[in-house]
Amino acid sequence: MANSNCHIGPLTWDTHVKFLVDAGDAEKADTILRKVAEQNQMKPMLSSYMTIMDHYAERGDVQKTEKLFHRMRKVGYVPIS
């Protein structure tokens, strides 16, 4: 979908990510979200990242969760202190 030169908004990507995670394919959802953020210069929704992180947390995958945190900061989500 990202390669077809049509504009797809953050809400559509969020729904796509949730669908993939619910289907049990969080790695593919993570890859798609990374490509969307890089290629489209678009800021994905925070809920997209949270959906993937919740799945990683359920599995106990700390390393992938940390990588996702770093990518969130790179996109522009920063903690409020």
Side-chain angles (χ1 to χ4, degrees):
M1 287 194 316
N3 297 332
S4 65
N5 292 332
C6 59
H7 178 70
I8 300 172
L11 187 61
T12 305
W13 287 116
D14 184 55
T15 305
H16 191 66
V17 164
K18 287 181 182 178
F19 174 75
L20 287 171
V21 170
D22 288 343
D25 203 356
E27 286 78 17
K28 186 171 185 176
D30 192 10
T31 302
I32 287 173
L33 197 61
R34 181 180 46 82
K35 286 182 181 180
V36 166
E38 290 174 357
Q39 290 177 357
N40 296 342
Q41 273 65 32
M42 178 185 81
K43 185 176 180 179
M45 294 176 67
L46 181 62
S47 61
S48 299
Y49 288 109
M50 296 306 294
T51 300
I52 297 171
M53 280 199 290
D54 285 342
H55 183 76
Y56 287 156
E58 288 174 6
R59 289 188 344 198
D61 196 341
V62 177
Q63 184 179 14
K64 288 185 180 180
T65 304
E66 286 179 355
K67 286 182 181 180
L68 199 56
F69 270 124
H70 289 294
R71 284 206 339 254
M72 286 173 65
R73 287 187 132 185
K74 186 177 176 182
V75 170
Y77 288 110
V78 293
I80 298 173
S81 50

